[in-house]
Structures are given as structure tokens and as C-alpha cells.
Amino acid sequence: MLDLVTAPVLALIANHTGLPAADLARLLGSPAKGVAADLALPCFQPAKAKALPPPKLAAELAAAINAAGLAQAVAAGPFLNLTFPPAQVATALLPALAADPAAALRSRAGSGRNAAIDFSSPNIAKHLAFHHIRSTMIGNSLARIYAAAGWKVTRINFLGDWGTAFGRLISGWKREGLTLAQLEGAADRVTFLNELYVRSSQAAKGDPALEEDARRWSKALEDGDAEARHLWQIFKDASLAEFKRVYALLGVDFDSWKGEAHYEDKMAPVLAELEGKGLTSIDQGATVVDLAAHGLKQFKKPMLLKRADGGTLYATRDLAAADDRFREFAFDRALYVVDLGQSLHFNEWFAAAKLLNRPYADRLRHIGFGVLLVWNDEPGEGLEPGWAKGRTRAGKVMLLREVLEEGIDRARAIIAEKNPDLVGDEREAIARAVGVGAVVFNDLKNARTNDVKFKFEEALRFDGETGPYLQYAHARLCSIERKSAGVSGDPALLARDDEKVVLLALARLQGQLERAVEADEPSIVAQALLALAAAVSSWLTAGNRDPSAKVICDDPAVAAARLTLVRAARGALGEGLCLLGLTAPERM
Ligand code: ARG
């Protein structure tokens, strides 16, 4: 979109240097800090093409651009700084942005391509803890960003619904004679299962018969015993019902829920194939792939496929699942949104997929992320307050649902104070959007591989780099728009510099969508939105000091042009928030 502004200048430079305008467009970026210009072109590469020192070329180009009156150009050493007249920027950008702001942000670059995105993927019979927000919301945002860039997206929840824990749960359930009604009547069904698990483990301590019973049920489940399967299904359904309550709060959904159990009988063929191709060896009774022996020296240890006791492992299951997903979705890219702690696991089985010559081996991407740290001002005895992984003082994990609910409560209180006119259902909907949005945005605003620090007071600030700040900018634009819906003005009347800054931020936001896809990085969108909201807020605030700068000013034609920009910015902010998985209330 920025091309619409820069095309004449780029054509001149292309002509002068012989480089294609499209290549030049990629070089254009923000000017150095403190330089008052809209865009800057580093002249190193074009100067090479002309065999000139970069500062000399920058000076030549500046003179030519100024002479042609295409922009105000200044050479600063090897950089060419460009400033465009506001009306020229508005005329180029505003019509498309205002006609359908959400559509103007989307692209077709990914059309015809499929992405399979594995995210959230929690373990059954355990809680969704606060840290699960990372995979869940990075994955959700990537799914939305890919879709906005034209990809066909399949959202996959690879539930951890298998393992020895189920033997213990079944054994305890039978021993206590529990019923489905009791489970379903529990305030939180996962807590009910957790407590059952703890009681069952406790009882088995020092009781070999109970220990044996749990093992037998585990085996029965693996062998497909009907009663064991039935109870497993009950536990799984109960966990899913709790998970879905949280997903509903977050506005997240999935297309596929095939979990680990689904692949239980699909691993033998993969193992047989690996063996048949001579890729496996036996190491202390376990079946492994010695990746280093197959030329992959970066792997210091062999990759485990099957334990000595015959139990198959995580990597084998992921290989079987990837085959299945490739058959079903023919993915051009498969993303695994999983914390960086699992990097070795993904590197290993991605390498095994290559050794197996899987056609999709180069399409697999581990989308790693850093840990979530929570401010704890009540740490245990003798410990200083500080950042800690999400546990309360009692050492209990913080549940995602509880954090979101606390966010909503806090947001409700802030809104009641800031805007007492908002009541009833409307206030409740806003409290949800803001409370949840604050927690989610805090997680997405910085590069995903960084660790995230969470403090309610910070995340909920209306004036920081927060979700509520973006939502507030959106609501402020909505309220101006409500006063005069549907007007459409002449872009050439947008003559203010602060209006131009808003327009350029809008155009940049659109360009960032592709970059976010290529880097699998929601923070690129988040940062572009913060820049847009900052531009909007200084534009709107100018009207407080200077009545002629108000959107609805004395000149009706100028007001109409400004309202058109309000509509474009409101639409882009709303769409951008949606790409991050936040909702954008119209009032706050
Ligand atoms: N259930 C796993 C865990 O909680 C995450 C699964 C990630 N996805 C995958 N395909 N391995 O650690």
C-alpha cells in the first residue's frame, strides 16, 4: 500500500539506477531516530549498481526528486530521506483504506496454500494453567494472520489424552464407586479428576495390590478393553468440557481435536518403516534413531522411539500424526506452537522425517516461545518478591480460567469508575473484552521467543503499551464516528502532518501482515497497532488545544475528510485487534 505513495519517486530512482522499482521498494524503511521524514532509502545497494559512493548517489537522487517536485528529498550521508506532502499521501491511500478498512488490510499472498497449525494441545485430566495462554493465543493469532494473508488454515488441538495416569484414575474411580453424575455435578470437573488422582496415588502408596490394579487398568486401556475405554472417554469428555469453557472466554476454536490416543495404533507402521530402512538401533533395550550416525552430527544423543518396556514415545506419535495431517490437509506449512523447552524434540523428529524422505519434511516449523513470568509480591518464607513462573504462594499453579476471571473483575471495576454510564449487559461485555484482551495482548506484544512478564496493574493500564490502550483508541474513534456516520470527504483536504502520520501507520500495518506470516510473529502486528494507536491519539489530542484541528471542525468539507480518516483508522484497529484474538468494543 505504501507503494501507492512512493510509486512516482521509485520510478524516478529506478530510471536513474537501472534497478527494478520493486527491489527499491523493499529497501525503503523508517528514517533514523530523530530524523523528521516519512521514509528513508539506504543507498548502499543502488550505489553499487551505479558504481558510485552511496552519499554521492543519495545527493544526485535528492536533487532529481526535488527538481521533479515528487517529494521533499534530503540526502543524509548514504541515506535518502523522503517527506511527502500530506494531501498527496491522503489522496494515494485514503480511498482504499476507507472503502473497506478490514479488506484493505488483508492480502491474497497465501492463496492456494494450506497451513496446519498445532496449538494449545493441553494434557487431559490436568488444568489449563496460566502458561497455556502462550501456545493458545500465539497459535490463535497466527491462524488468524495466515487466514488474513489468504492461506487456508486448519487449527489443530493435539490433546495429550494418553498415558499411565488413566490407569490410576480408573482404578481410583472403581475403588470409590464414583458415578458420572458426581463428576458432572462438580464445580470444576478437572479439579474433581485431579483430586481423584491424588487420592488414588496416596492410597496405592504402601498397598501393592492397588498399585497393581492401576497397572492392570493401564494395560486394559491400551488393549482396548471396553470398560477402560468407556471410563477414559468419560474423563476426556469432562476435561474437554472444562477446556472449552476457557476457550470460549478466549474466543478460540479448533477444526481438529485428534489427540495422542488417536495415533496409538498408527505408530507401528512408522516404526516398521524406520526399521526397514535400517535407521533404527537398539540402545539399552530401547529402540532409537542414532541421528549422529546418519550424518547429523549436531545431535549428541540418539532419538528415542520406543522404551525398553515397549511403550512408544512422543516423537513416534508426532511422526505418525504428521503423516496423517499431510494426507488429510496437504499442508504447505505445518506449525507447532510449543514452548522452546521442547526444541530438541522437534529438531529430532523433523530430522527423522527428513531421513524418511517425507515430502513434507521441509514444511515443518517449530514455533517456539519463552516462558511466562508472573509478579509475585507474596513469595514464600524468606524469599524476596519477584518474577516467578505462575504459582501462587501456596505453590499451586495459577489456572488460566482464574486469571481471565480476575482480569474481567478488575476491568469491570475500572470501567465502572471511568464510565459510570455503562451498565448491565453492555458493561459486562466490555469488561470481558478488556479484561481478557489485557491478558492476551501482554502475551503477544513482544517477540515470542522472549520471556513474558505479567502484572495485572501493567497489563490493564489504559495509557501503556497494552490491549486496553488499543481498545480505547478504537472506542474513541467509534464515538466520533457515531456523531456522523457515512460521510465521505475529499482526501486532498487532509493537510495536517499528524493526519499523514496516521495514514502512513495504516499503510505500514498492511505491509506488516506478510512479514508476520514469514516470521510467524504476532508481535509484528501488535507493534504496528501500537504505532497506529499512538498516531491516532496524538492526532485526536491536537484538537483539544486547537479547535481548528478537531475532527468535527467548522469547515464541513474538512470535517468530512477527517471523518473518512476516522473510519479507516477505526476499521484497521478493529481488524488488527481481531488478528491478535482481541475483541474491540465500540464504547469503553
Ligand atoms: N501436550 C504437549 C504438552 O503439554 C504439547 C503437544 C504439542 N504438540 C505436538 N504436536 N507435540 O507438552
Side-chain angles (χ1 to χ4, degrees):
M1 176 141 318
L2 271 179
D3 300 3
L4 292 174
V5 179
T6 57
V9 168
L10 289 178
L12 181 147
I13 303 176
N15 209 351
H16 197 91
T17 60
L19 290 176
D23 293 0
L24 294 164
R26 270 191 287 280
L27 295 176
L28 271 182
S30 304
K33 260 214 155 60
V35 172
D38 299 329
L39 290 166
L41 181 79
C43 291
F44 306 101
Q45 218 169 300
K48 208 174 265 167
K50 285 284 277 185
L52 280 177
K56 180 135 199 322
L57 179 67
E60 277 183 25
L61 291 174
I65 292 165
N66 288 328
L70 298 177
Q72 187 192 323
V74 178
F79 292 92
L80 176 64
N81 292 323
L82 298 166
T83 306
F84 298 90
Q88 183 182 326
V89 172
T91 312
L93 295 178
L94 192 62
L97 286 170
D100 185 345
L105 280 190
R106 288 185 215 122
S107 102
R108 308 282 349 136
S111 70
R113 306 182 75 196
N114 299 330
I117 309 187
D118 175 325
F119 65 105
S120 199
S121 304
N123 298 328
I124 292 290
K126 289 197 189 148
H127 280 291
L128 276 179
F130 186 23
H131 72 261
H132 281 106
I133 194 171
R134 298 232 69 203
S135 172
T136 307
M137 296 318 279
I138 293 170
N140 178 63
S141 175
L142 288 175
R144 289 172 183 229
I145 290 171
Y146 269 71
W151 291 66
K152 183 172 182 325
V153 174
T154 306
R155 308 158 143 259
I156 303 171
N157 195 329
F158 184 64
L159 292 170
D161 52 4
W162 203 244
T164 51
F166 290 100
R168 181 142 343 268
L169 281 170
I170 299 174
S171 168
W173 178 277
K174 299 279 294 175
R175 191 175 65 89
E176 297 184 13
L178 298 175
T179 64
L180 184 55
Q182 281 171 298
L183 174 61
E184 285 181 344
D188 183 308
R189 287 154 279 193
V190 171
T191 302
F192 183 95
L193 291 175
N194 281 177
E195 289 171 0
L196 171 61
Y197 183 88
V198 170
R199 286 196 305 275
S200 182
S201 314
Q202 220 84 79
K205 266 194 196 130
D207 187 341
L210 284 182
E211 196 59 55
E212 178 53 26
D213 191 55
R215 227 185 338 265
R216 257 204 318 274
W217 278 114
S218 209
K219 180 86 173 59
L221 183 60
E222 266 176 43
D223 296 342
D225 173 84
E227 186 178 15
R229 274 275 163 178
H230 175 68
L231 286 170
W232 168 83
Q233 189 67 48
I234 285 178
F235 301 155
K236 179 168 165 174
D237 290 346
S239 301
L240 270 182
E242 292 300 337
F243 293 169
K244 284 184 178 171
R245 277 169 75 186
V246 183
Y247 291 143
L249 274 176
L250 290 168
V252 171
D253 204 357
F254 298 90
D255 305 304
S256 164
W257 295 84
K258 276 191 206 167
E260 297 194 20
H262 180 81
Y263 297 100
E264 211 26 43
D265 59 354
K266 296 176 181 58
M267 289 183 280
V270 179
L271 282 169
E273 188 184 346
L274 282 158
E275 270 159 22
K277 292 190 170 160
L279 293 169
T280 59
S281 47
I282 303 296
D283 186 347
Q284 299 166 32
T287 309
V288 302
V289 179
D290 190 347
L291 295 163
H294 290 96
L296 303 167
K297 298 287 179 223
Q298 67 270 36
F299 294 97
K300 302 292 169 229
K301 282 191 195 152
M303 159 185 169
L304 267 168
L305 289 172
K306 200 163 78 172
R307 281 197 307 260
D309 67 6
T312 44
L313 289 159
Y314 194 31
T316 321
R317 219 172 257 124
D318 258 324
L319 273 169
D323 283 345
D324 184 49
R325 289 174 192 178
F326 188 60
R327 256 192 312 273
E328 200 174 343
F329 310 123
F331 56 76
D332 297 279
R333 209 174 273 179
L335 309 185
Y336 294 85
V337 188
V338 186
D339 69 273
L340 283 168
Q342 295 195 26
S343 294
L344 179 62
H345 163 72
F346 286 99
N347 289 337
E348 284 181 348
W349 78 261
F350 289 179
K354 239 190 186 121
L355 289 176
L356 283 169
N357 286 320
R358 288 295 189 260
Y360 60 73
D362 290 326
R363 306 178 183 186
L364 305 169
R365 291 189 177 191
H366 173 212
I367 311 303
F369 51 81
V371 299
L372 175 57
L373 300 170
V374 181
W375 180 253
N376 192 347
D377 38 19
E378 295 186 347
E381 290 287 299
L383 289 174
E384 295 292 309
W387 297 102
K389 292 193 187 169
R391 286 183 185 277
T392 62
R393 178 158 57 168
K396 263 183 38 191
V397 278
M398 289 168 71
L399 303 191
L400 179 48
R401 184 167 53 77
E402 288 171 359
V403 175
L404 296 175
E405 283 167 358
E406 181 172 350
I408 295 170
D409 289 343
R410 287 176 181 249
R412 190 185 299 111
I414 296 172
I415 291 158
E417 194 193 311
K418 280 196 196 287
N419 194 347
D421 295 345
L422 291 169
V423 289
D425 288 350
E426 187 180 16
R427 186 178 69 189
E428 202 46 38
I430 298 169
R432 264 179 178 241
V434 174
V436 173
V439 181
V440 170
F441 188 80
N442 185 74
D443 229 72
L444 298 179
K445 74 174 172 188
N446 291 316
R448 60 179 154 77
T449 51
N450 291 355
D451 291 347
V452 169
K453 290 181 170 172
F454 178 80
K455 213 183 207 179
F456 263 121
E457 294 74 11
E458 291 299 319
L460 273 162
R461 282 175 61 155
F462 277 43
D463 59 353
E465 297 198 334
T466 66
Y469 168 68
L470 295 176
Q471 289 167 318
Y472 182 70
H474 175 266
R476 202 169 162 196
L477 291 166
C478 286
S479 95
I480 299 172
E481 213 183 343
R482 267 195 297 278
K483 291 177 195 144
S484 41
V487 295
S488 198
D490 175 5
L493 296 175
L494 294 177
R496 295 179 55 92
D497 274 334
D498 47 19
E499 292 159 348
K500 180 175 76 173
V501 176
V502 173
L503 281 156
L504 290 173
L506 283 166
R508 279 213 188 89
L509 175 61
Q510 191 229 19
Q512 300 303 57
L513 191 68
E514 287 309 299
R515 283 194 51 223
V517 166
E518 281 329 304
D520 295 300
E521 189 60 88
S523 69
I524 292 177
V525 173
Q527 292 296 330
L529 281 177
L530 287 170
L532 172 60
V536 164
S537 124
S538 40
W539 173 44
L540 296 182
T541 306
N544 296 346
R545 294 183 301 265
D546 169 4
S548 75
K550 276 200 185 329
V551 172
I552 304 185
C553 56
D554 288 340
D555 183 335
V558 172
R562 289 179 182 166
L563 281 163
T564 314
L565 180 56
V566 163
R567 182 163 73 239
R570 183 268 302 153
L573 266 174
E575 176 73 4
L577 283 166
C578 174
L579 290 178
L580 297 177
L582 278 76
T583 46
E586 293 185 1
R587 285 173 221 267
M588 265 174 77

